Amino acid sequence: MDRNIQVSRLDRQAVEDQEVEIVERKGIGHPDSICDGVAESVSRALSQLYLDRVGKVLHYNTDETQLVAGRAAPAYGGGEVVEPIYLLIVGRATKQYDGQQLPVDSTALAAARDYLTEAIPELEYGTDVIVDVKLGEGSGDLQDVFGEETQQVPMANDTSFGVGHAPLTETETIVSEAERELNTTYHDEHPELGPDVKIMGKREGDRIDITVAAAMVDRHVDGLDDYDDAVSDVREFVTELAESHTDRAVSVDVNTADDYDEGSVYLTVTGTSAEQGDDGSVGRGNRANGLITPNRPMSMEATSGKNPVNHIGKIYNLLSTRIAESVTDEVDGIRDLQVRLLSQIGRPIDEPHVADAQIVTTDGVDLADIEDDVLAIVDEELADVTDITRSVIDGDVSTF
Amino acid sequence: MDRNIQVSRLDRQAVEDQEVEIVERKGIGHPDSICDGVAESVSRALSQLYLDRVGKVLHYNTDETQLVAGRAAPAYGGGEVVEPIYLLIVGRATKQYDGQQLPVDSTALAAARDYLTEAIPELEYGTDVIVDVKLGEGSGDLQDVFGEETQQVPMANDTSFGVGHAPLTETETIVSEAERELNTTYHDEHPELGPDVKIMGKREGDRIDITVAAAMVDRHVDGLDDYDDAVSDVREFVTELAESHTDRAVSVDVNTADDYDEGSVYLTVTGTSAEQGDDGSVGRGNRANGLITPNRPMSMEATSGKNPVNHIGKIYNLLSTRIAESVTDEVDGIRDLQVRLLSQIGRPIDEPHVADAQIVTTDGVDLADIEDDVLAIVDEELADVTDITRSVIDGDVSTF
Amino acid sequence: MDRNIQVSRLDRQAVEDQEVEIVERKGIGHPDSICDGVAESVSRALSQLYLDRVGKVLHYNTDETQLVAGRAAPAYGGGEVVEPIYLLIVGRATKQYDGQQLPVDSTALAAARDYLTEAIPELEYGTDVIVDVKLGEGSGDLQDVFGEETQQVPMANDTSFGVGHAPLTETETIVSEAERELNTTYHDEHPELGPDVKIMGKREGDRIDITVAAAMVDRHVDGLDDYDDAVSDVREFVTELAESHTDRAVSVDVNTADDYDEGSVYLTVTGTSAEQGDDGSVGRGNRANGLITPNRPMSMEATSGKNPVNHIGKIYNLLSTRIAESVTDEVDGIRDLQVRLLSQIGRPIDEPHVADAQIVTTDGVDLADIEDDVLAIVDEELADVTDITRSVIDGDVSTF
Amino acid sequence: MDRNIQVSRLDRQAVEDQEVEIVERKGIGHPDSICDGVAESVSRALSQLYLDRVGKVLHYNTDETQLVAGRAAPAYGGGEVVEPIYLLIVGRATKQYDGQQLPVDSTALAAARDYLTEAIPELEYGTDVIVDVKLGEGSGDLQDVFGEETQQVPMANDTSFGVGHAPLTETETIVSEAERELNTTYHDEHPELGPDVKIMGKREGDRIDITVAAAMVDRHVDGLDDYDDAVSDVREFVTELAESHTDRAVSVDVNTADDYDEGSVYLTVTGTSAEQGDDGSVGRGNRANGLITPNRPMSMEATSGKNPVNHIGKIYNLLSTRIAESVTDEVDGIRDLQVRLLSQIGRPIDEPHVADAQIVTTDGVDLADIEDDVLAIVDEELADVTDITRSVIDGDVSTF
């Protein structure tokens, strides 16, 4: 098979070298990310249900979860949710196969419950949040198959494209790492930090400004002094983390909208702004690589919740990022790499209409020197496309 | 204060002596009873919330829970719920008082969860059943008060009436006791019996036919033989119970709609028919005394979910039954007693427009001999009317 | 065929001769009646849909509509609905037959819209009221048939009973007629009167008190004086109507909860209290004969929304009333007649387990003289039982 | 006031000169666009409501409408919707002001109804589509003001950015124009074409491929031949339109997924795929300028439904596009212009943190020659920022 792979020079400066760069990441507790996370958990649970029951993945898509914010009355030492969050799981799923009824609604709810309990532990399922589900029946003749016995590669469900890049710039690295560390290692020792951490990075020349909006959990905060300490701790942690990734000047602001005199601070009961007025939706936040990067081409496709078998909007966004990472891992001399995959409806997904690797080389490196290596890696990754599907179902790949 | 209490002869035969008698009780797992139970649990939780937060009960009514049935795939040894039950808590509640926000929605959900978990333990909250809530804001100027500092008796909120009777006939006793015993002592040793037990008693002359519809829980039933044993055990238990309450001829049928040849039996995953097509609603099942008794006057008012402070439709149905029971406990010579209480809107609830005790005496007893005793007890119970409110909030009185 | 029909003496005074009588009717605009009306309209539309598409009525029941009240800001000359009413149509329906998809949801919505537009014309569909629908799939093997080609009588779906009576007492006649006239002839000339008219009749001895709660429509009322006139007009109309039906003393009160000094009157935007805090539900209001009559035996079954083919809870309540009316129309000498029909699950519906006509004769008439005539009429009406089904589908019979 | 405006060279080729270009537009009948359109209509209606009632725009955002697809049974000559579309309007709005209740829910529903009736005329409101609404109360102290008496410029509600560009490339022009013409002039003479027209443009070098997915309305299509004619007509129309905008080679494909042998064609009852399985959501489709342009920087912000007073995510995306258009209208020598506006929370919206105009000049033009003109226009447009707000409320600006 001859894949249509093109390697060319990227006709702009590397983002790292541009004058102004903006990067954003919405943490896992942000209302949009909650929707992404639930949608993807439901997707994985349905894939697994289908594999367990009928040996292959049947037609479904669950990429439309909607969150309606609640109301809360936070208070130092512990407040309460007054009006629960309402979360509606939306999508299509195959509910019958070969005379067998498949518990897609119950499976979706259980997946949502398990995900929410882990991701937003302070949010009590069923009282602080109501989860409802509207999964329509998919049209039967679109039932796509994936399973042990199916060796062939699925066909693309649409004409669409995916885009990925590598390596991350310093600012991207800082934004990405800061959120992940705050929500893991930092959180382990600082239970007052909730999972709704939103990080905006702005670089102008050699100055990087990091703005963090961090929801604090009221029952772990005794008063304003305590709150102020919590904010300072976050600032210090992020500053240190940032400085370990760059030699540029770094400044970090946390919860800039606070007004201590007015007693107006970012205090929450559950650690997410969804408890108080912030609605959310799938596909409105982070792109497939976990970042929002307006300096770069982005796909509008929601990656979370789509079936990972033949939904090109999901597969090609994840795959293009994986390709970019593999190439930059294995090939030296690349300062910026952008990979685009364009599908053609009805064609096998390992044969994109065009796979396009655009490169800014480092000083002194000629594109021609690395072109063959790049091409080989792209080809190899495309051949392994179904590996993405398996990784997604196993939960080894993050989609937001 | 002079209460308008009338004692008179009941102008018909005692129900025990009528030729045909019909009595029904829907067990706690019946879809209508589930709604009654949730509505009343929510009501008690809101009363308690108001007492805890503002020292008095504020305006609310939650007597409109609606249950939309799910779908299930029961199977010997254990099946599953395929489409969850949807339960919508409906009503009015005061959400703000004196600048304080009151978590009525979250409180309602927690009450529903706790009640369902106890009453229908096989039903997993949040996956087998979705509970949603729509509690509108009550009109502020109807905020009714009840609390330590309020010594006066509330005013009736409506012109309405309540009706109660005592003693129970044999058939009523059997139907009532059978459901309660099946769902407690019997269930403890027979986990295969679900809480959705519906009992119909029909007496023609001296013959009593008891028909039981009993949902069996699949994971405790290995196969058809096992199921048949489970049905036989229920029949035997109810027969014995019935015979301990009557000398009349008794026959008991259980799950008469079963068709073993077709493999069509009353097997469920969760022990309630709500899992498969049976919707439910508040106020559609048992009356305030736990029975449906078409031989007797009945109130159409839903008792469950109404506020117990000034909602006459609730208070007078419970109170009239309590009065009837007190009278027959303390006064000999009564074969059938019917108590009616008629309110007048805006008057104190301990001063009904008319309280009416109608009596069939036993042979040889003259109404005049007992009239004064009856009158005194009625008067005393009316004076203690707010005790009903307290008992309801404490959960000491059943409303369905 | 020998039907089990029993004619006997009713062992109590005629209700007309009892000392105290209570009668109530909730008008068509009352929240409970709105639910009854929608449920029954949906039922008729589904019956018709099935007849049109597959030539017979398939399995369905739609007897669980739930109304969640809205909020309104009425004002003399015309106010507005602030928060719409939410109405959820609940039930089961067959959605596929013989490979054909049947538009049950759309049909249900269209029926609800048409009914509401006619019954509550001031209520704008889709903005003042949101109508939602949750119709589950009925279990396929319960698909009941009714159609041209089906000549046999259906089997009862349950062991249940119905009860009816005739003739109406004076108080019953007044309550019934007053609501119907107010909502038709009176309304035609008095557009200020909304359809939510609730009438309570109480007779003590020879004194009849009629209490009317009548929702006035604000855009037809200019101010308090105008409102007061509207109330007086209703009082006058009902008084005149009542006096034409009785020689007893009559008093009529209208909107007794009004407080003119406080400016608190029963003014509405749409003519129904559902716009402001009064929820509603099917089967909570009027019985099948349009009245609530606690002096008489009543069935708890909701008649509205049930399928009219084999649902005994519907058919026997309507049929027992029809039998009672036929008997009293054709046989002289009856002061009070009560008809009870008891079904047996799985038996043809024209062969009740027992049909029971209990009679209080007028002075000088002996039961034996009329027994045969009564028996013949009961037998004839039972033989025509499927005529009830047809009348219900055609909308010729009211169910609430 | 000195605004921070920067004019610089855009460090890449003009998109028109890049080797591969992808452009997409989802027509107004696409499920995502339906959500955008409803959200924006609701937004405008609320702005107007607030202006009418209290003289200024109060706090609200309605940028989260969710559409759950229905099911339909299309048929040549006219089919039917079987299961209605469900559309949930989500957001926040101020419901009370100065003691006055504001009918935000009813207003939102009326706006949705009016919009849908106009945009998707074949879709019957209330039966083919159920519109529900969940608008939470905005936090009171965020009530933002806009009105006659408020002369000052509002403060930015967030640190965010907007991006716009001009002029459109040929491919962009074709995609944009094709959808608009199909849905207006073409539709007027071709009622068989539904509003759900999705257009994908792909340019490789000098070859432009246009792919159109066009939902046909069944009641205007008699059979497969007729359908085939309808498809051909669209192809011809778009081809002609495209060729009028470019000298490049053009090819147009319409409904490529059709399979005539299988009888599988893109036939609908209502003209939108939302009737059959395609869910939708706000902000998932077209960007503020009506296009999806992965070759260019894009903002992830949903523009539709956000309040146009201080919501920077809306204002700056619309304004940056307007600025780009003004500049290229008035200044010669610009081949590609990209405008970025970065806000700072709490600062007046006419004083962005940075306004950044990046330019690719046409051959022979030096940036220095036009820099001052560009700067002046940017400055002037920023000074007029509130004009955007007014245009949005008046409906003069499209947001998707």
Side-chain angles (χ1 to χ4, degrees), chain D residues 24-70:
Chain D
E24 187 181 349
R25 174 162 170 79
K26 296 174 174 175
I28 57 167
H30 184 281
D32 288 333
S33 298
I34 291 175
C35 292
D36 284 332
V38 166
E40 184 64 10
S41 295
V42 169
S43 167
R44 285 167 43 201
L46 290 185
S47 283
Q48 202 56 57
L49 172 75
Y50 291 138
L51 288 173
D52 292 348
R53 298 285 174 99
V54 303
K56 54 189 173 184
V57 176
L58 301 178
H59 180 62
Y60 78 85
N61 278 307
T62 60
D63 61 331
E64 297 265 355
T65 294
Q66 175 69 47
L67 183 153
V68 184

Side-chain angles (χ1 to χ4, degrees), chain C residues 258-374:
Chain C
D258 285 353
D259 182 336
Y260 285 11
D261 292 337
E262 297 280 340
S264 164
V265 296
Y266 195 177
L267 196 68
T268 65
V269 178
T270 61
T272 169
S273 61
E275 73 175 35
Q276 179 67 32
D278 281 2
D279 308 310
S281 200
V282 173
R284 291 268 293 260
N286 306 327
R287 299 298 88 195
N289 68 345
L291 294 171
I292 300 171
T293 55
N295 289 58
R296 303 180 184 273
M298 291 185 285
S299 162
M300 283 296 115
E301 285 278 358
T303 301
S304 303
K306 294 210 158 76
N307 89 65
V309 174
N310 79 339
H311 208 301
I312 219 64
K314 179 170 204 153
I315 298 167
Y316 275 14
N317 276 309
L318 294 171
L319 182 59
S320 56
T321 300
R322 177 182 286 198
I323 291 175
E325 289 168 351
S326 292
V327 170
T328 51
D329 277 0
E330 297 179 32
V331 180
D332 289 331
I334 295 176
R335 185 146 179 85
D336 203 344
L337 165 62
Q338 175 175 300
V339 174
R340 294 189 300 187
L341 301 174
L342 182 65
S343 73
Q344 195 161 359
I345 187 169
R347 284 264 301 257
I349 61 175
D350 65 343
E351 296 179 49
H353 181 63
V354 60
D356 178 18
Q358 296 174 292
I359 297 173
V360 179
T361 54
T362 50
D363 282 351
V365 174
D366 198 57
L367 185 59
D369 298 343
I370 59 174
E371 189 168 356
D372 286 353
D373 289 353
V374 171

Side-chain angles (χ1 to χ4, degrees), chain D residues 211-275:
Chain D
T211 307
V212 181
M216 298 299 176
V217 176
D218 58 5
R219 71 186 184 88
H220 296 294
V221 182
D222 283 342
L224 186 53
D225 286 351
D226 211 16
Y227 176 87
D228 190 47
D229 288 349
V231 166
S232 297
D233 288 350
V234 169
R235 183 166 40 232
E236 198 176 314
F237 179 83
V238 173
T239 304
E240 209 164 295
L241 181 147
E243 288 174 345
S244 77
H245 287 289
T246 186
D247 294 328
R248 287 163 163 143
V250 169
S251 89
V252 176
D253 285 308
V254 180
N255 294 355
T256 50
D258 284 353
D259 183 336
Y260 285 10
D261 292 337
E262 297 280 339
S264 164
V265 295
Y266 196 178
L267 196 69
T268 64
V269 179
T270 61
T272 169
S273 61
E275 73 175 36

Side-chain angles (χ1 to χ4, degrees), chain C residues 186 192 216 221 225-235:
Chain C
Y186 184 87
E192 76 275 10
M216 299 297 175
V221 181
D225 286 350
D226 210 15
Y227 175 85
D228 190 46
D229 289 349
V231 166
S232 297
D233 289 351
V234 169
R235 183 166 40 232

Side-chain angles (χ1 to χ4, degrees), chain A residues 8 22 31 97 115 126 136 140 198 204 207 237 259 268 361 381:
Chain A
S8 63
I22 294 171
Y97 188 79
Y115 178 77
K198 183 170 144 187
E204 292 192 71
R207 175 181 173 79
F237 180 83
D259 183 335
T268 64
T361 53
E381 291 282 356

Side-chain angles (χ1 to χ4, degrees), chain C residues 111-363:
Chain C
R113 181 195 56 198
D114 295 349
Y115 178 78
L116 288 172
T117 303
E118 170 145 357
I120 328 279
E122 305 282 347
L123 192 73
E124 196 171 355
Y125 185 81
T127 56
D128 291 341
V129 58
I130 296 169
V131 181
D132 200 352
V133 59
K134 285 186 186 271
L135 292 177
E137 181 75 36
S139 45
D141 51 0
L142 284 181
Q143 283 168 355
D144 309 308
V145 294
F146 173 75
E148 305 314 323
E149 76 275 26
T150 315
Q151 296 304 335
Q152 74 268 39
V153 170
M155 304 299 150
N157 78 323
D158 203 355
T159 297
S160 179
F161 83 104
V163 61
H165 75 272
L168 296 188
T169 63
E170 287 178 3
T171 312
E172 289 169 341
T173 302
I174 291 167
V175 168
S176 180
E177 286 298 305
E179 192 273 335
R180 291 193 206 281
E181 289 304 315
L182 284 174
N183 262 324
T184 51
T185 54
Y186 184 87
H187 174 75
D188 290 347
E189 300 190 355
H190 291 271
E192 76 275 10
L193 178 70
D196 189 353
V197 175
K198 184 172 144 187
I199 306 194
M200 163 86 74
K202 174 164 58 78
R203 180 180 58 74
E204 292 190 69
D206 278 340
R207 175 182 171 78
I208 299 176
D209 294 316
I210 304 292
T211 307
V212 180
M216 299 297 175
V217 175
D218 59 4
R219 70 185 184 88
H220 296 294
V221 181
D222 283 344
L224 185 54
D225 286 350
D226 210 15
Y227 175 85
D228 190 46
D229 289 349
V231 166
S232 297
D233 289 351
V234 169
R235 183 166 40 232
E236 197 176 315
F237 180 82
V238 174
T239 304
E240 209 164 295
L241 181 149
E243 288 173 345
S244 77
H245 286 291
T246 186
D247 294 328
R248 286 163 164 144
V250 168
S251 89
V252 175
D253 284 309
V254 179
N255 293 358
T256 50
D258 285 353
D259 182 336
Y260 285 11
D261 292 337
E262 297 280 340
S264 164
V265 296
Y266 195 177
L267 196 68
T268 65
V269 178
T270 61
T272 169
S273 61
E275 73 175 35
Q276 179 67 32
D278 281 2
D279 308 310
S281 200
V282 173
R284 291 268 293 260
N286 306 327
R287 299 298 88 195
N289 68 345
L291 294 171
I292 300 171
T293 55
N295 289 58
R296 303 180 184 273
M298 291 185 285
S299 162
M300 283 296 115
E301 285 278 358
T303 301
S304 303
K306 294 210 158 76
N307 89 65
V309 174
N310 79 339
H311 208 301
I312 219 64
K314 179 170 204 153
I315 298 167
Y316 275 14
N317 276 309
L318 294 171
L319 182 59
S320 56
T321 300
R322 177 182 286 198
I323 291 175
E325 289 168 351
S326 292
V327 170
T328 51
D329 277 0
E330 297 179 32
V331 180
D332 289 331
I334 295 176
R335 185 146 179 85
D336 203 344
L337 165 62
Q338 175 175 300
V339 174
R340 294 189 300 187
L341 301 174
L342 182 65
S343 73
Q344 195 161 359
I345 187 169
R347 284 264 301 257
I349 61 175
D350 65 343
E351 296 179 49
H353 181 63
V354 60
D356 178 18
Q358 296 174 292
I359 297 173
V360 179
T361 54
T362 50
D363 282 351

